[in-house]
Amino acid sequence: MSADETVTRASEPFRPPGMGDAEGPGTVHIRKLVKSFGARKVLRDINLDVACGEVCCVIGPSGSGKSTLMRCIDGLEDIDSGVLKVNGEHLGYVEEETHFRALKRRQLRQQRTQIGMVFQQFNLFPNMTALENVTVGQVLVKRMPKAEAKERALSLLARVGLHGHEQHYPAQLSGGQQQRVAIARSLALDPKVMLFDEPTSALDPELVGDVLDVMKQLAGEGMTMMVATHEMGFAREVGDSLIFMADGYIVERGDPREVLANPKEARTQQFLRKVL
């Protein structure tokens, strides 16, 4: 099978049954997205819809473009061409009558507060307690009064199972606990879309379950989520849709249970034989 044939098969975005349109708050809408680093094209002709409340799992080998796609959706990387709308808005731009106008930095920061991102590494401030790590963004970005931000941070830490760990510094927490602090920190800004870039890949196996339980809870509450993951059990159990990426393309997409059990594309079959 040629690369062109693969792209043709995956060119129409998959929409899970029962999901709404990919427009408005809590949605992602991508058409013909291209991203390169120098001469290396990392994302090629990406077409994707994620509806409000959908859990979209992204799988694929290292170097397939999963992390770059997440970083583009979060606004950490500029795209070369194509359409990228998150929460119903062009990310980084506003459409005017004759052209697209770049948002001012303050407007882009405000737009990005509606998108939460959880990385492989926890990226916590090492000199701040768990409580301070969750509080600081609310005060600096949302201009929330410190007392109100602290109260919300305490509630969020309890929500992710860390009641009693508020005054611990990152070095005093396990990897799973640090990742749950990172999730609480993202939730503190009230995002409409949550992105998880292989959030369990840096964890010891016995710590993975606690983080996945928090993510399952968020999914059950209707949070729109995109999850780049190697946890096929999570994708099968929680995902509404699954996309398989390779060489910068979306090779295959569909219902996670169907794709994992009966992949149609040879490249997907080859990958799943190695990981299942």
Side-chain angles (χ1 to χ4, degrees):
M1 179 183 299
S2 73
D4 289 341
E5 289 174 323
T6 298
V7 174
T8 299
R9 290 190 182 189
S11 61
E12 289 300 322
F14 170 80
R15 181 163 297 159
M19 291 291 174
D21 292 336
E23 291 287 344
T27 66
V28 178
H29 174 83
I30 297 173
R31 292 293 182 274
K32 297 188 177 299
L33 185 150
V34 174
K35 172 65 181 176
S36 300
F37 293 107
R40 184 168 64 96
K41 191 170 288 188
V42 179
L43 296 176
R44 308 163 181 263
D45 194 34
I46 299 294
N47 295 287
L48 177 66
D49 284 337
V50 181
C52 183
E54 180 179 341
V55 178
C56 175
C57 295
V58 186
I59 65 171
S62 297
S64 60
K66 304 187 302 294
S67 293
T68 300
L69 176 60
M70 294 288 186
R71 291 176 63 86
C72 287
I73 295 171
D74 189 46
L76 292 171
E77 301 286 354
D78 293 328
I79 66 173
D80 297 336
S81 61
V83 173
L84 171 57
K85 297 174 73 173
V86 186
N87 294 313
E89 300 179 342
H90 290 279
L91 189 64
Y93 295 87
V94 61
E95 187 174 4
E96 299 194 337
E97 187 172 342
T98 58
H99 65 286
F100 286 92
R101 174 175 56 81
L103 293 178
K104 296 180 180 178
R105 184 172 300 180
R106 176 182 57 81
Q107 294 172 306
L108 178 58
R109 281 201 303 267
Q110 177 59 36
Q111 198 177 50
R112 290 187 61 213
T113 65
Q114 301 300 300
I115 309 166
M117 181 81 165
V118 179
F119 300 89
Q120 298 177 38
Q121 302 299 326
F122 321 121
N123 295 335
L124 300 178
F125 296 110
N127 61 329
M128 294 185 181
T129 65
L131 181 63
E132 291 167 337
N133 265 283
V134 180
T135 302
V136 63
Q138 300 177 78
V139 174
L140 295 180
V141 178
K142 300 197 75 173
R143 306 298 182 184
M144 186 180 291
K146 289 185 178 180
E148 183 180 344
K150 180 179 178 180
E151 181 178 353
R152 176 159 171 74
L154 288 169
S155 174
L156 286 168
L157 287 170
R159 181 179 175 185
V160 298
L162 291 176
H163 176 69
H165 294 79
E166 296 87 355
Q167 299 305 323
H168 291 181
Y169 289 90
Q172 298 172 309
L173 299 171
S174 71
Q177 290 169 332
Q178 291 184 60
Q179 192 62 292
R180 283 182 280 158
V181 173
I183 293 173
R185 180 179 60 184
S186 290
L187 292 174
L189 298 181
D190 295 313
K192 301 295 189 297
V193 174
M194 283 286 288
L195 308 173
F196 295 85
D197 185 10
E198 299 187 13
T200 62
S201 65
L203 301 180
D204 292 333
E206 65 269 23
L207 303 176
V208 168
D210 290 338
V211 174
L212 294 181
D213 285 344
V214 172
M215 294 168 64
K216 290 175 185 177
Q217 176 187 336
L218 291 176
E221 293 169 358
M223 174 66 75
T224 304
M225 297 164 57
M226 284 190 65
V227 185
T229 184
H230 294 296
E231 302 292 338
M232 301 301 162
F234 176 87
R236 185 183 292 108
E237 178 184 350
V238 181
D240 297 300
S241 62
L242 182 141
I243 64 176
F244 170 69
M245 295 186 67
D247 303 319
Y249 292 106
I250 292 179
V251 176
E252 188 165 351
R253 60 164 62 84
D255 180 275
R257 290 145 292 277
E258 178 62 26
V259 173
L260 293 175
N262 299 294
K264 294 181 174 60
E265 302 296 335
R267 186 65 182 86
T268 316
Q269 294 167 7
Q270 178 187 15
F271 174 78
L272 291 177
R273 277 197 297 270
K274 295 179 178 180
V275 301
L276 290 180

